[in-house]
Short mmCIF file of all heavy atoms in Angstrom, two decimals:
data_model
loop_
_atom_site.label_atom_id
_atom_site.label_comp_id
_atom_site.label_asym_id
_atom_site.label_seq_id
_atom_site.Cartn_x
_atom_site.Cartn_y
_atom_site.Cartn_z
N MET A 144 161.13 221.62 136.59
CA MET A 144 162.45 221.22 137.04
C MET A 144 162.31 219.86 137.73
O MET A 144 161.53 219.68 138.64
CB MET A 144 163.00 222.26 138.02
CG MET A 144 164.33 221.88 138.58
SD MET A 144 165.02 222.98 139.87
CE MET A 144 164.48 224.58 139.44
N GLN A 145 163.09 218.92 137.29
CA GLN A 145 163.07 217.58 137.87
C GLN A 145 164.12 217.49 138.96
O GLN A 145 165.27 217.87 138.77
CB GLN A 145 163.35 216.54 136.79
CG GLN A 145 163.18 215.13 137.28
CD GLN A 145 163.38 214.13 136.16
OE1 GLN A 145 163.92 214.45 135.12
NE2 GLN A 145 162.96 212.91 136.39
N ARG A 146 163.70 216.98 140.13
CA ARG A 146 164.61 216.85 141.27
C ARG A 146 164.57 215.41 141.77
O ARG A 146 163.54 214.75 141.71
CB ARG A 146 164.20 217.77 142.41
CG ARG A 146 164.33 219.22 142.09
CD ARG A 146 163.80 220.03 143.21
NE ARG A 146 162.34 219.98 143.13
CZ ARG A 146 161.53 220.99 143.41
NH1 ARG A 146 162.03 222.11 143.82
NH2 ARG A 146 160.25 220.87 143.30
N HIS A 147 165.69 214.97 142.28
CA HIS A 147 165.80 213.65 142.89
C HIS A 147 166.35 213.83 144.29
O HIS A 147 167.39 214.47 144.46
CB HIS A 147 166.77 212.75 142.11
CG HIS A 147 166.39 212.55 140.69
ND1 HIS A 147 165.51 211.59 140.28
CD2 HIS A 147 166.77 213.20 139.56
CE1 HIS A 147 165.37 211.64 138.98
NE2 HIS A 147 166.13 212.63 138.52
N VAL A 148 165.68 213.24 145.27
CA VAL A 148 166.22 213.24 146.62
C VAL A 148 167.30 212.17 146.66
O VAL A 148 167.10 211.04 146.22
CB VAL A 148 165.13 212.93 147.67
CG1 VAL A 148 165.73 212.79 149.06
CG2 VAL A 148 164.07 214.01 147.66
N ILE A 149 168.47 212.52 147.17
CA ILE A 149 169.59 211.60 147.25
C ILE A 149 169.75 211.16 148.70
O ILE A 149 169.89 211.99 149.59
CB ILE A 149 170.90 212.26 146.76
CG1 ILE A 149 170.71 212.87 145.37
CG2 ILE A 149 172.06 211.27 146.80
CD1 ILE A 149 170.30 211.87 144.29
N GLU A 150 169.70 209.85 148.90
CA GLU A 150 169.83 209.29 150.24
C GLU A 150 171.11 208.47 150.35
O GLU A 150 171.57 207.90 149.36
CB GLU A 150 168.63 208.40 150.57
CG GLU A 150 167.34 209.15 150.67
CD GLU A 150 166.18 208.27 151.09
OE1 GLU A 150 166.37 207.04 151.24
OE2 GLU A 150 165.08 208.81 151.28
N HIS A 151 171.62 208.41 151.57
CA HIS A 151 172.75 207.54 151.88
C HIS A 151 172.44 206.92 153.23
O HIS A 151 172.12 207.63 154.19
CB HIS A 151 174.07 208.31 151.94
CG HIS A 151 175.23 207.44 152.30
ND1 HIS A 151 175.78 206.56 151.40
CD2 HIS A 151 175.89 207.27 153.46
CE1 HIS A 151 176.76 205.90 152.00
NE2 HIS A 151 176.85 206.32 153.25
N ALA A 152 172.51 205.60 153.31
CA ALA A 152 172.21 204.86 154.53
C ALA A 152 170.82 205.21 155.06
O ALA A 152 170.62 205.32 156.26
CB ALA A 152 173.28 205.09 155.58
N GLY A 153 169.88 205.42 154.14
CA GLY A 153 168.51 205.69 154.51
C GLY A 153 168.20 207.13 154.92
O GLY A 153 167.07 207.43 155.26
N LEU A 154 169.19 208.01 154.87
CA LEU A 154 168.98 209.40 155.26
C LEU A 154 169.20 210.33 154.06
O LEU A 154 170.17 210.16 153.31
CB LEU A 154 169.95 209.81 156.36
CG LEU A 154 169.83 209.04 157.67
CD1 LEU A 154 170.97 209.41 158.60
CD2 LEU A 154 168.49 209.32 158.32
N PRO A 155 168.33 211.32 153.87
CA PRO A 155 168.54 212.27 152.77
C PRO A 155 169.80 213.11 153.02
O PRO A 155 170.01 213.60 154.13
CB PRO A 155 167.30 213.16 152.80
CG PRO A 155 166.47 212.74 153.94
CD PRO A 155 167.13 211.59 154.63
N VAL A 156 170.64 213.20 152.01
CA VAL A 156 171.88 213.99 152.13
C VAL A 156 171.91 215.15 151.14
O VAL A 156 172.78 216.00 151.22
CB VAL A 156 173.15 213.12 151.97
CG1 VAL A 156 173.27 212.12 153.10
CG2 VAL A 156 173.20 212.45 150.62
N GLY A 157 170.97 215.16 150.19
CA GLY A 157 170.94 216.24 149.21
C GLY A 157 169.90 215.99 148.15
O GLY A 157 169.13 215.03 148.23
N ILE A 158 169.92 216.85 147.14
CA ILE A 158 169.06 216.67 145.98
C ILE A 158 169.90 216.81 144.72
O ILE A 158 170.96 217.44 144.73
CB ILE A 158 167.89 217.66 145.95
CG1 ILE A 158 168.38 219.11 145.87
CG2 ILE A 158 166.96 217.47 147.13
CD1 ILE A 158 167.27 220.11 145.63
N ALA A 159 169.42 216.22 143.65
CA ALA A 159 170.05 216.35 142.34
C ALA A 159 169.06 217.04 141.42
O ALA A 159 167.88 216.68 141.38
CB ALA A 159 170.44 214.99 141.78
N ILE A 160 169.52 218.05 140.71
CA ILE A 160 168.69 218.83 139.81
C ILE A 160 169.26 218.72 138.40
O ILE A 160 170.46 218.89 138.20
CB ILE A 160 168.65 220.31 140.24
CG1 ILE A 160 168.06 220.44 141.63
CG2 ILE A 160 167.89 221.15 139.24
CD1 ILE A 160 168.09 221.85 142.18
N ALA A 161 168.38 218.43 137.44
CA ALA A 161 168.81 218.36 136.04
C ALA A 161 169.25 219.75 135.58
O ALA A 161 168.56 220.74 135.82
CB ALA A 161 167.67 217.85 135.17
N GLU A 162 170.43 219.79 134.95
CA GLU A 162 170.99 221.06 134.48
C GLU A 162 171.93 220.79 133.31
O GLU A 162 172.96 220.13 133.49
CB GLU A 162 171.73 221.75 135.63
CG GLU A 162 172.33 223.08 135.29
CD GLU A 162 173.01 223.71 136.49
OE1 GLU A 162 172.33 224.41 137.24
OE2 GLU A 162 174.23 223.47 136.65
N ASP A 163 171.59 221.27 132.14
CA ASP A 163 172.43 221.11 130.95
C ASP A 163 172.84 219.66 130.71
O ASP A 163 174.02 219.34 130.54
CB ASP A 163 173.69 221.98 131.05
CG ASP A 163 173.38 223.47 131.15
OD1 ASP A 163 172.37 223.89 130.56
OD2 ASP A 163 174.14 224.19 131.81
N ASN A 164 171.87 218.77 130.69
CA ASN A 164 172.08 217.33 130.43
C ASN A 164 172.96 216.65 131.48
O ASN A 164 173.55 215.61 131.22
CB ASN A 164 172.66 217.10 129.04
CG ASN A 164 171.69 217.51 127.97
OD1 ASN A 164 170.48 217.29 128.10
ND2 ASN A 164 172.19 218.11 126.92
N LYS A 165 173.09 217.25 132.64
CA LYS A 165 173.83 216.67 133.77
C LYS A 165 172.97 216.81 135.01
O LYS A 165 171.88 217.39 134.96
CB LYS A 165 175.16 217.39 133.97
CG LYS A 165 176.10 217.32 132.80
CD LYS A 165 177.36 216.69 133.18
CE LYS A 165 178.27 216.64 131.95
NZ LYS A 165 179.31 215.71 132.13
N LEU A 166 173.46 216.30 136.12
CA LEU A 166 172.78 216.45 137.40
C LEU A 166 173.68 217.26 138.33
O LEU A 166 174.84 216.91 138.51
CB LEU A 166 172.49 215.09 138.03
CG LEU A 166 171.51 214.22 137.26
CD1 LEU A 166 171.50 212.81 137.85
CD2 LEU A 166 170.12 214.82 137.29
N ARG A 167 173.13 218.32 138.88
CA ARG A 167 173.88 219.13 139.84
C ARG A 167 173.44 218.71 141.23
O ARG A 167 172.26 218.67 141.54
CB ARG A 167 173.63 220.62 139.64
CG ARG A 167 174.44 221.48 140.59
CD ARG A 167 174.42 222.93 140.21
NE ARG A 167 173.10 223.49 140.11
CZ ARG A 167 172.52 224.22 141.07
NH1 ARG A 167 173.16 224.49 142.18
NH2 ARG A 167 171.32 224.70 140.88
N PHE A 168 174.41 218.39 142.08
CA PHE A 168 174.14 217.95 143.45
C PHE A 168 174.11 219.15 144.37
O PHE A 168 175.00 219.99 144.36
CB PHE A 168 175.22 216.97 143.91
CG PHE A 168 175.03 216.48 145.31
CD1 PHE A 168 173.92 215.74 145.67
CD2 PHE A 168 175.97 216.76 146.29
CE1 PHE A 168 173.74 215.28 146.97
CE2 PHE A 168 175.81 216.30 147.59
CZ PHE A 168 174.69 215.56 147.93
N ILE A 169 173.06 219.22 145.19
CA ILE A 169 172.94 220.25 146.22
C ILE A 169 172.91 219.53 147.56
O ILE A 169 171.96 218.81 147.88
CB ILE A 169 171.69 221.11 146.03
CG1 ILE A 169 171.76 221.80 144.66
CG2 ILE A 169 171.55 222.12 147.17
CD1 ILE A 169 170.51 222.54 144.28
N ALA A 170 173.96 219.69 148.32
CA ALA A 170 174.10 219.01 149.61
C ALA A 170 173.21 219.68 150.66
O ALA A 170 173.09 220.90 150.70
CB ALA A 170 175.55 219.05 150.07
N VAL A 171 172.60 218.85 151.52
CA VAL A 171 171.82 219.37 152.64
C VAL A 171 172.36 218.86 153.98
O VAL A 171 171.85 219.22 155.01
CB VAL A 171 170.31 219.05 152.51
CG1 VAL A 171 169.72 219.73 151.29
CG2 VAL A 171 170.05 217.56 152.50
N LYS A 172 173.39 218.04 153.92
CA LYS A 172 174.04 217.54 155.13
C LYS A 172 175.52 217.92 155.09
O LYS A 172 176.17 217.84 154.04
CB LYS A 172 173.91 216.02 155.26
CG LYS A 172 172.50 215.54 155.45
CD LYS A 172 171.96 215.98 156.79
CE LYS A 172 170.57 215.43 157.00
NZ LYS A 172 169.95 215.90 158.20
N PHE A 173 176.05 218.31 156.25
CA PHE A 173 177.43 218.79 156.33
C PHE A 173 178.45 217.75 155.85
O PHE A 173 179.42 218.10 155.20
CB PHE A 173 177.75 219.22 157.76
CG PHE A 173 179.14 219.76 157.90
CD1 PHE A 173 179.46 221.02 157.41
CD2 PHE A 173 180.13 219.01 158.49
CE1 PHE A 173 180.74 221.52 157.52
CE2 PHE A 173 181.43 219.50 158.61
CZ PHE A 173 181.72 220.76 158.11
N HIS A 174 178.22 216.47 156.15
CA HIS A 174 179.23 215.46 155.81
C HIS A 174 179.40 215.24 154.31
O HIS A 174 180.34 214.56 153.90
CB HIS A 174 178.98 214.16 156.58
CG HIS A 174 177.65 213.54 156.33
ND1 HIS A 174 176.50 213.96 156.95
CD2 HIS A 174 177.30 212.51 155.53
CE1 HIS A 174 175.49 213.22 156.54
NE2 HIS A 174 175.94 212.34 155.68
N VAL A 175 178.55 215.82 153.47
CA VAL A 175 178.73 215.74 152.01
C VAL A 175 178.87 217.12 151.38
O VAL A 175 178.82 217.26 150.16
CB VAL A 175 177.59 214.94 151.33
CG1 VAL A 175 177.63 213.49 151.73
CG2 VAL A 175 176.24 215.57 151.60
N ILE A 176 179.08 218.15 152.19
CA ILE A 176 179.15 219.52 151.69
C ILE A 176 180.28 219.72 150.68
O ILE A 176 180.17 220.56 149.79
CB ILE A 176 179.25 220.53 152.87
CG1 ILE A 176 178.84 221.93 152.40
CG2 ILE A 176 180.65 220.54 153.47
CD1 ILE A 176 177.38 222.08 152.14
N ASP A 177 181.33 218.93 150.76
CA ASP A 177 182.44 219.05 149.78
C ASP A 177 181.99 218.70 148.37
O ASP A 177 182.65 219.07 147.40
CB ASP A 177 183.60 218.14 150.17
CG ASP A 177 184.31 218.60 151.42
OD1 ASP A 177 184.19 219.79 151.78
OD2 ASP A 177 184.99 217.77 152.05
N LEU A 178 180.88 217.98 148.23
CA LEU A 178 180.37 217.59 146.92
C LEU A 178 179.32 218.57 146.39
O LEU A 178 178.84 218.42 145.26
CB LEU A 178 179.75 216.18 146.99
CG LEU A 178 180.66 215.09 147.55
CD1 LEU A 178 179.92 213.77 147.61
CD2 LEU A 178 181.93 214.97 146.73
N ASP A 179 178.98 219.59 147.17
CA ASP A 179 177.95 220.55 146.79
C ASP A 179 178.29 221.23 145.46
O ASP A 179 179.43 221.61 145.21
CB ASP A 179 177.83 221.61 147.89
CG ASP A 179 176.62 222.48 147.73
OD1 ASP A 179 175.52 221.93 147.48
OD2 ASP A 179 176.76 223.71 147.84
N ASN A 180 177.28 221.32 144.62
CA ASN A 180 177.35 221.96 143.30
C ASN A 180 178.18 221.21 142.26
O ASN A 180 178.39 221.73 141.17
CB ASN A 180 177.85 223.41 143.40
CG ASN A 180 176.75 224.33 143.86
OD1 ASN A 180 175.61 224.22 143.40
ND2 ASN A 180 177.06 225.20 144.78
N ARG A 181 178.63 220.01 142.56
CA ARG A 181 179.31 219.22 141.53
C ARG A 181 178.27 218.71 140.54
O ARG A 181 177.11 218.51 140.88
CB ARG A 181 180.06 218.04 142.14
CG ARG A 181 181.28 218.48 142.90
CD ARG A 181 182.14 217.29 143.24
NE ARG A 181 183.23 217.69 144.11
CZ ARG A 181 184.12 216.85 144.57
NH1 ARG A 181 184.07 215.57 144.26
NH2 ARG A 181 185.09 217.28 145.35
N ARG A 182 178.71 218.48 139.32
CA ARG A 182 177.81 217.98 138.28
C ARG A 182 178.20 216.56 137.90
O ARG A 182 179.39 216.24 137.83
CB ARG A 182 177.87 218.92 137.09
CG ARG A 182 177.30 220.29 137.47
CD ARG A 182 177.48 221.30 136.41
NE ARG A 182 176.86 220.85 135.17
CZ ARG A 182 176.92 221.49 134.04
NH1 ARG A 182 177.56 222.63 133.97
NH2 ARG A 182 176.35 221.02 132.96
N TYR A 183 177.18 215.74 137.65
CA TYR A 183 177.38 214.31 137.38
C TYR A 183 176.60 213.90 136.13
O TYR A 183 175.54 214.45 135.85
CB TYR A 183 176.90 213.48 138.57
CG TYR A 183 177.72 213.73 139.82
CD1 TYR A 183 177.36 214.74 140.71
CD2 TYR A 183 178.87 213.01 140.08
CE1 TYR A 183 178.13 214.99 141.84
CE2 TYR A 183 179.64 213.26 141.20
CZ TYR A 183 179.26 214.25 142.07
OH TYR A 183 180.02 214.50 143.19
N ALA A 184 177.12 212.90 135.45
CA ALA A 184 176.47 212.38 134.25
C ALA A 184 175.24 211.56 134.57
O ALA A 184 174.32 211.47 133.76
CB ALA A 184 177.46 211.55 133.44
N SER A 185 175.21 210.95 135.76
CA SER A 185 174.06 210.09 136.12
C SER A 185 173.93 210.00 137.64
O SER A 185 174.86 210.33 138.39
CB SER A 185 174.26 208.69 135.55
OG SER A 185 175.32 208.04 136.22
N LEU A 186 172.78 209.50 138.08
CA LEU A 186 172.57 209.26 139.51
C LEU A 186 173.56 208.21 140.01
O LEU A 186 174.03 208.29 141.15
CB LEU A 186 171.14 208.80 139.78
CG LEU A 186 170.07 209.87 139.69
CD1 LEU A 186 168.68 209.26 139.81
CD2 LEU A 186 170.28 210.95 140.73
N HIS A 187 173.88 207.25 139.19
CA HIS A 187 174.85 206.22 139.56
C HIS A 187 176.20 206.85 139.90
O HIS A 187 176.81 206.52 140.92
CB HIS A 187 175.00 205.19 138.45
CG HIS A 187 176.09 204.20 138.70
ND1 HIS A 187 175.94 203.16 139.59
CD2 HIS A 187 177.35 204.13 138.22
CE1 HIS A 187 177.08 202.48 139.63
NE2 HIS A 187 177.95 203.04 138.81
N HIS A 188 176.67 207.75 139.06
CA HIS A 188 177.96 208.42 139.31
C HIS A 188 177.89 209.26 140.58
O HIS A 188 178.85 209.30 141.36
CB HIS A 188 178.36 209.30 138.13
CG HIS A 188 178.78 208.52 136.94
ND1 HIS A 188 177.97 208.34 135.84
CD2 HIS A 188 179.93 207.86 136.67
CE1 HIS A 188 178.60 207.60 134.96
NE2 HIS A 188 179.81 207.29 135.43
N LEU A 189 176.78 209.93 140.79
CA LEU A 189 176.61 210.76 141.98
C LEU A 189 176.63 209.92 143.25
O LEU A 189 177.38 210.21 144.19
CB LEU A 189 175.30 211.54 141.89
CG LEU A 189 174.81 212.26 143.14
CD1 LEU A 189 175.86 213.19 143.71
CD2 LEU A 189 173.53 213.00 142.85
N THR A 190 175.84 208.85 143.28
CA THR A 190 175.79 208.02 144.49
C THR A 190 177.12 207.32 144.74
O THR A 190 177.53 207.14 145.89
CB THR A 190 174.63 207.02 144.45
OG1 THR A 190 174.73 206.21 143.28
CG2 THR A 190 173.28 207.75 144.47
N ALA A 191 177.82 206.94 143.68
CA ALA A 191 179.13 206.31 143.84
C ALA A 191 180.12 207.31 144.44
O ALA A 191 180.94 206.95 145.30
CB ALA A 191 179.65 205.80 142.50
N ASP A 192 180.05 208.58 144.02
CA ASP A 192 180.94 209.60 144.56
C ASP A 192 180.63 209.87 146.03
O ASP A 192 181.54 210.05 146.85
CB ASP A 192 180.83 210.88 143.74
CG ASP A 192 182.01 211.81 143.93
OD1 ASP A 192 183.10 211.35 144.33
OD2 ASP A 192 181.85 213.02 143.66
N ILE A 193 179.36 209.84 146.40
CA ILE A 193 178.98 210.02 147.80
C ILE A 193 179.53 208.87 148.64
O ILE A 193 180.13 209.10 149.70
CB ILE A 193 177.45 210.13 147.95
CG1 ILE A 193 176.97 211.47 147.38
CG2 ILE A 193 177.04 210.00 149.42
CD1 ILE A 193 175.47 211.60 147.28
N ARG A 194 179.35 207.64 148.17
CA ARG A 194 179.88 206.48 148.92
C ARG A 194 181.39 206.59 149.07
O ARG A 194 181.94 206.36 150.16
CB ARG A 194 179.52 205.17 148.20
CG ARG A 194 178.11 204.72 148.44
CD ARG A 194 177.88 203.29 147.96
NE ARG A 194 178.26 203.08 146.57
CZ ARG A 194 177.48 203.29 145.53
NH1 ARG A 194 176.26 203.74 145.70
NH2 ARG A 194 177.90 203.06 144.31
N SER A 195 182.08 206.94 148.01
CA SER A 195 183.54 207.07 148.05
C SER A 195 183.96 208.19 149.01
O SER A 195 184.89 208.03 149.81
CB SER A 195 184.07 207.35 146.65
OG SER A 195 185.44 207.58 146.67
N HIS A 196 183.27 209.31 148.94
CA HIS A 196 183.58 210.45 149.80
C HIS A 196 183.40 210.09 151.28
O HIS A 196 184.24 210.43 152.11
CB HIS A 196 182.68 211.63 149.43
CG HIS A 196 182.86 212.83 150.30
ND1 HIS A 196 183.96 213.65 150.21
CD2 HIS A 196 182.08 213.34 151.28
CE1 HIS A 196 183.85 214.62 151.10
NE2 HIS A 196 182.71 214.46 151.76
N LEU A 197 182.33 209.40 151.60
CA LEU A 197 182.05 209.05 152.99
C LEU A 197 182.93 207.92 153.50
O LEU A 197 183.13 207.79 154.71
CB LEU A 197 180.58 208.70 153.17
CG LEU A 197 179.62 209.89 152.94
CD1 LEU A 197 178.18 209.43 153.03
CD2 LEU A 197 179.91 211.01 153.93
N ALA A 198 183.51 207.14 152.60
CA ALA A 198 184.41 206.06 153.00
C ALA A 198 185.80 206.58 153.29
O ALA A 198 186.60 205.92 153.98
CB ALA A 198 184.48 205.00 151.91
N THR A 199 186.13 207.78 152.80
CA THR A 199 187.43 208.39 153.01
C THR A 199 187.48 209.04 154.39
O THR A 199 186.57 209.79 154.72
CB THR A 199 187.70 209.47 151.93
OG1 THR A 199 187.56 208.86 150.66
CG2 THR A 199 189.08 210.07 152.07
N PRO A 200 188.50 208.76 155.18
CA PRO A 200 188.59 209.41 156.50
C PRO A 200 188.60 210.93 156.36
O PRO A 200 189.27 211.49 155.49
CB PRO A 200 189.93 208.92 157.06
CG PRO A 200 190.24 207.67 156.29
CD PRO A 200 189.61 207.86 154.93
N SER A 201 187.83 211.58 157.18
CA SER A 201 187.69 213.03 157.14
C SER A 201 188.93 213.73 157.69
O SER A 201 189.57 213.26 158.63
CB SER A 201 186.47 213.45 157.94
OG SER A 201 186.41 214.85 158.06
N ALA A 202 189.22 214.88 157.14
CA ALA A 202 190.32 215.71 157.65
C ALA A 202 189.99 216.26 159.03
O ALA A 202 190.86 216.67 159.77
CB ALA A 202 190.61 216.84 156.69
N PHE A 203 188.68 216.25 159.36
CA PHE A 203 188.24 216.78 160.65
C PHE A 203 188.27 215.72 161.76
O PHE A 203 188.01 216.03 162.91
CB PHE A 203 186.83 217.36 160.53
CG PHE A 203 186.78 218.51 159.59
CD1 PHE A 203 186.21 218.38 158.34
CD2 PHE A 203 187.31 219.75 159.96
CE1 PHE A 203 186.16 219.46 157.47
CE2 PHE A 203 187.26 220.82 159.09
CZ PHE A 203 186.69 220.67 157.84
N ALA A 204 188.55 214.47 161.41
CA ALA A 204 188.56 213.41 162.42
C ALA A 204 189.73 213.61 163.37
O ALA A 204 190.81 214.02 162.97
CB ALA A 204 188.65 212.04 161.74
N ALA A 205 189.50 213.31 164.60
CA ALA A 205 190.56 213.50 165.63
C ALA A 205 191.58 212.39 165.58
O ALA A 205 191.39 211.32 165.17
CB ALA A 205 189.93 213.57 167.00
#
């Protein structure tokens, strides 16, 4: 099984596992948990989705 550690701003936020010609994201940090178990065509698409997700104001923000 091939795994890729996914980092954002120098910190690991999850791993990507090859599954049925796609990459399944497994989140290990709460701030990206909404993306857990999503499947992506490439690492580029996955990292772009993480950047977009983290740039969006959280519903939990005061």
Side-chain angles (χ1 to χ4, degrees):
M144 177 185 326
Q145 187 177 16
R146 294 175 284 217
H147 301 275
V148 174
I149 307 301
E150 295 184 355
H151 178 75
L154 298 172
V156 295
I158 62 171
I160 298 175
E162 181 178 272
D163 299 327
N164 295 321
K165 299 239 180 198
L166 295 170
R167 182 168 57 100
F168 179 62
I169 300 173
V171 297
K172 295 293 183 185
F173 182 74
H174 59 279
V175 293
I176 199 71
D177 291 340
L178 305 178
D179 191 47
N180 282 317
R181 288 192 187 179
R182 295 173 58 184
Y183 296 90
S185 69
L186 287 173
H187 173 77
H188 288 103
L189 169 54
T190 56
D192 199 23
I193 289 171
R194 281 192 307 273
S195 175
H196 177 74
L197 294 176
T199 304
S201 172
F203 297 106

